[in-house]
Amino acid sequence: WVQALQLFREMSDDHVESDTITYNVVVRACGKGDEWLRALQVFHEMADRRLERDFFTYNAIISACGDSGEWLAALKLFR
């Protein structure tokens, strides 16, 4: 997750446009690293940038929260 997040930030620094797929990969990587809060931050950043959050996005963030035992956080995503 650290490398994925670092590469993601470097892309931004180099003015490389990130899309939904890029964000999905970062959310998934953070989730796999038990970094559910970071995954949630990236998820919310997508909304701030007006990027579409698709099936894969929601699957990744719900898994990140659920795998960490943060079921309330996962449930709040449905509101």
Side-chain angles (χ1 to χ4, degrees):
W1 73 268
V2 174
Q3 291 175 338
L5 197 57
Q6 181 180 356
L7 181 59
F8 181 66
R9 297 299 178 214
E10 287 175 11
M11 287 174 62
S12 179
D13 291 345
D14 292 339
H15 306 290
V16 176
E17 192 82 22
S18 296
D19 61 7
T20 299
I21 296 170
T22 308
Y23 274 84
N24 289 350
V25 169
V26 175
V27 170
R28 174 69 69 195
C30 290
K32 293 289 183 186
D34 293 323
E35 291 289 327
W36 71 273
L37 195 52
R38 285 187 200 273
L40 200 55
Q41 290 169 341
V42 174
F43 174 81
H44 288 302
E45 186 177 316
M46 290 180 76
D48 294 343
R49 294 180 181 263
R50 301 190 194 291
L51 288 173
E52 177 186 3
R53 296 185 286 187
D54 60 15
F55 170 83
F56 299 102
T57 312
Y58 280 94
N59 184 289
I61 192 61
I62 290 168
S63 293
C65 293
D67 292 347
S68 296
E70 297 295 331
W71 290 105
L72 285 177
L75 287 173
K76 287 181 183 179
L77 297 171
F78 288 101
R79 292 186 191 176

